[in-house]
Amino acid sequence: GDSVTQMEGPVTLSEEAFLTINCTYTATGYPSLFWYVQYPGEGLQLLLKATKADDKGSNKGFEATYRKETTSFHLEKGSVQVSDSAVYFCALSGQIILTGGGNKLTFGTGTQLKVEL
Amino acid sequence: NAGVTQTPKFQVLKTGQSMTLQCAQDMNHEYMSWYRQDPGMGLRLIHYSVGAGITDQGEVPNGYNVSRSTTEDFPLRLLSAAPSQTSVYFCASSPRAERSYNEQFFGPGTRLTVL
């Protein structure tokens, strides 16, 4: 079945440091790929997405490129801020099952990021 | 729009008790789902619905029931609570069930403790 593997946390960085959070996936067909972010005490919200190979998703200075050849979707940001401290989830949405399987997300385990001054 | 709302925010149950977690969305979304979040395991799908009157099981459905009588509401019922159901529960919705590229919108979560 579908699966997502992302790097273990927690990750602690100084403000303005470069961020990479690795994510690789296993899926049949052509999934859509997502990064969701969860701030403390809140639900998840979409950070960025890519729906086909070589697409680059970007938002709030974060970027990720859909690499089908390496089955990866690594999250990057050139200069992190304290306000970026959160848990980041990589996820995929697989092909729709004809019996009405719907829009099911498979999540990685999450990576906690802490940014210090 | 209020988006996706969940009640209660916190709940403590004793083993064997039953309860219903409420979820509602005001975006006229077709697809709704329930996830549980446990440390080190990410989010796992419990049940989902592709429209009113249509529900199906996800990855971890045992011990939970759902129904979808309206587009707006998707309650999750715990039939006989067990300590293994201690978790944070998230409801999510998405505009169209068959579009895998659709963003899912999440509620704020319900933190459930079963003693």
Side-chain angles (χ1 to χ4, degrees), chain A residues 32 34 36 38 41-46 49 51 89 93-94 96 100-105 107-110, chain B residues 9 31 35 37 40-43 45 48 50 57 90 94 96-104 106-108:
Chain A
S32 295
F34 303 83
Y36 281 84
Q38 183 180 31
E42 298 183 10
L44 281 73
Q45 55 186 274
L46 180 68
K49 70 178 184 183
T51 59
F89 290 93
S93 183
I96 302 304
N103 187 358
K104 293 187 283 188
L105 285 172
F107 285 89
T109 54
Chain B
K9 199 168 179 62
Y31 181 81
Y35 294 87
Q37 182 181 27
M41 302 192 74
L43 279 77
L45 183 65
Y48 66 94
V50 299
Q57 296 181 352
F90 289 101
S94 184
R96 294 291 300 274
E98 72 276 15
R99 299 284 186 259
S100 66
Y101 51 78
N102 277 167
E103 170 185 359
Q104 292 202 24
F106 285 80

Side-chain angles (χ1 to χ4, degrees), chain B residues 33-93:
Chain B
S33 55
W34 277 102
Y35 294 87
R36 58 177 290 173
Q37 182 181 27
D38 301 294
M41 302 192 74
L43 279 77
R44 292 180 292 167
L45 183 65
I46 304 171
H47 284 286
Y48 66 94
S49 169
V50 299
I54 307 170
T55 64
D56 204 351
Q57 296 181 352
E59 183 184 354
V60 288
N62 292 341
Y64 307 95
N65 272 358
V66 292
S67 60
R68 182 115 179 256
S69 55
T70 66
T71 300
E72 295 77 22
D73 300 300
F74 191 45
L76 178 72
R77 297 182 190 85
L78 278 69
L79 308 172
S80 177
S84 60
Q85 294 178 304
T86 294
S87 187
V88 181
Y89 292 85
F90 289 101
C91 180
S93 73

